Amino acid sequence: VDATSRTFFITGVQMELGATGTEFEHMTYGSELELCKRYYQFAGGDTAYQNIVVAAYYGTGAAVGTYRHHPSLRAAPTVAKSGDWSVIGGAGVVSQTVSGDQNGPNSIQLGFSGGSSGVSGQATTIRVSNDLNFRLSFDAEI
């Protein structure tokens, strides 16, 4: 109780659904966050022009790159993208679509196709355009 601000604090409470409670469980914020990351992760939104993945062209308008999940997801995720990206280094561009292949809880091979140019075997970095609202999300929810 804080008499000067007329507030009181309730701590050490665990709310549960149903008529029967389970043993009290206290987890640190870090531990809880790591468990949550097993269900959902995303890239982007930190800075403009944030690097997402290093990729290699395998054709004129197609590239692939491997994205590693940390920590591992609970299952192979569903991939969704919002916002725009661009390339840095290498020649050419990639389209604004992405596909997930060889998808698993530890990593996913991201495919970028439909670009206008590129040299097979040449590396490039797929990055966020000048867009702080960009998200590449990986959802492994039950």
Side-chain angles (χ1 to χ4, degrees), residues 65-67 69 77 79 100-104 106-110 138:
T66 300
Y67 186 91
H69 307 297
V79 182
D101 189 18
Q102 300 173 7
N103 188 3
N106 296 311
S107 65
I108 184 171
Q109 179 177 285
L110 298 173
F138 305 95

Side-chain angles (χ1 to χ4, degrees), residues 20-86:
T20 306
T22 61
E23 189 172 322
F24 187 79
E25 177 179 31
H26 176 74
M27 296 180 70
T28 65
Y29 173 79
S31 296
E32 192 74 37
L33 181 59
E34 287 297 302
L35 289 173
C36 290
K37 285 180 180 180
R38 292 189 41 78
Y39 292 86
Y40 180 84
Q41 297 175 21
F42 70 91
D46 294 332
T47 64
Y49 304 110
Q50 178 182 352
N51 292 340
I52 301 299
V53 66
V54 174
Y57 287 101
Y58 64 89
T60 306
V64 294
T66 300
Y67 186 91
R68 298 209 41 89
H69 307 297
H70 180 76
S72 296
L73 292 164
R74 59 166 287 283
T78 301
V79 182
K81 175 194 158 288
S82 64
D84 294 325
W85 51 38
S86 60

Side-chain angles (χ1 to χ4, degrees), residues 56-64 91-94 112-122:
Y57 287 101
Y58 64 89
T60 306
V64 294
V93 299
V94 293
F112 310 91
S113 60
S116 61
S117 62
V119 178
S120 184
Q122 187 174 35

